[in-house]
Amino acid sequence: MPLASTVIPPRSGRSSRTVRSRRALGAALAAVLAIGLSACAPDPVSESFLSGENTGYVAADGAIVEIPVADRGETVAFGGVTEDGETFDSADLAGQVTVVNFWYAGCAPCRVEAEDLESVWQQYEDQGVSFVGINTRDQADTAKAFSEEFGVTYPSLIDVDTAEAKLAFAEAVPIAATPTTLVLDKQGRVAARIIGPIDGTSILSTLVKDALAEKS
């Protein structure tokens, strides 16, 4: 004989089916997020971003730094191979303002800022400005899939095997967080640095405009 059961109505007045459905949805979303991040090693910026903190940065000296002309170091010469297998040399960008973004596909803030980076690139691409990504963890196929998903049209160097590009910047500005975005002046010197996601287009756009306005 089946055992009798007692159903206690939820105190909130919602049906038990609704409660179960919302719990199931929450679990599903958590699982999707976990899968998306499981491919990469723990990253302090990603962890901070996902924990709900406002900054998402790991630097104590501020997220945005503009470097006065007199305080800038030497020209940073860097190069490598793009996700399309093309050879890149920063010498080809001489006389241009260059935005360099360090990223990788499993980095949560990198995914959030991708559209804004592309928007600034579209705004300035015909004004003597170049954008170059430096992917620090992925192979070419993963980087290309990311670019296709988020509509990124500027090239990225695949730096995971050699760290050639990252090392080139080590003396001028060590890259301790991902993402980090640098603005290089027309001489190829680091003029500004943003640690963490760029948080919209206005700040990066202003930094690029300032660099363009400087005399060569």
Side-chain angles (χ1 to χ4, degrees):
M1 178 177 178
L3 294 175
S5 60
T6 301
V7 177
I8 302 175
R11 294 181 181 179
S12 63
R14 300 170 183 161
S15 70
S16 58
R17 178 178 299 176
T18 300
V19 174
R20 288 195 300 270
S21 297
R22 292 187 177 180
R23 288 177 178 170
L25 177 60
L29 290 174
V32 170
L33 182 60
I35 292 171
L37 295 177
S38 62
C40 62
D43 181 273
V45 174
S46 292
E47 291 175 353
S48 176
F49 185 86
L50 292 173
S51 70
E53 296 177 14
N54 292 329
T55 59
Y57 313 131
V58 297
D61 58 347
I64 303 165
V65 176
E66 282 195 270
I67 303 171
V69 174
D71 296 335
R72 294 174 193 169
E74 300 296 323
T75 296
V76 179
F78 65 102
V81 178
T82 72
E83 69 270 66
D84 292 322
E86 298 179 355
T87 300
F88 171 88
D89 189 331
S90 62
D92 296 335
L93 305 181
Q96 298 186 45
V97 170
T98 304
V99 175
V100 181
N101 176 252
F102 291 81
W103 69 283
Y104 62 93
C107 160
C110 300
R111 302 172 75 85
V112 171
E113 72 172 0
E115 182 178 348
D116 291 331
L117 286 165
E118 177 66 19
S119 293
V120 180
W121 159 235
Q122 294 289 343
Q123 180 181 357
Y124 288 101
E125 65 174 324
D126 60 350
Q127 299 183 41
V129 176
S130 292
F131 271 55
V132 180
I134 296 180
N135 187 301
T136 59
R137 296 196 184 185
D138 303 320
Q139 296 297 335
D141 55 349
T142 301
K144 290 175 70 173
F146 180 99
S147 295
E148 291 172 2
E149 179 179 356
F150 293 97
V152 177
T153 59
Y154 55 85
S156 282
L157 307 183
I158 304 303
D159 207 42
V160 61
D161 293 326
T162 65
E164 175 185 354
K166 188 173 181 178
L167 288 172
F169 285 92
E171 184 174 349
V173 53
I175 307 302
T178 308
T180 289
T181 300
L182 307 176
V183 178
L184 309 185
D185 64 17
K186 297 171 186 177
Q187 288 73 46
R189 302 171 300 181
V190 177
R193 177 189 68 191
I194 302 174
I195 298 177
I198 65 172
D199 193 21
T201 62
S202 61
I203 292 174
L204 180 58
S205 180
T206 298
L207 294 174
V208 170
K209 188 183 302 183
D210 289 348
L212 280 172
E214 293 176 357
K215 294 181 180 180
S216 300

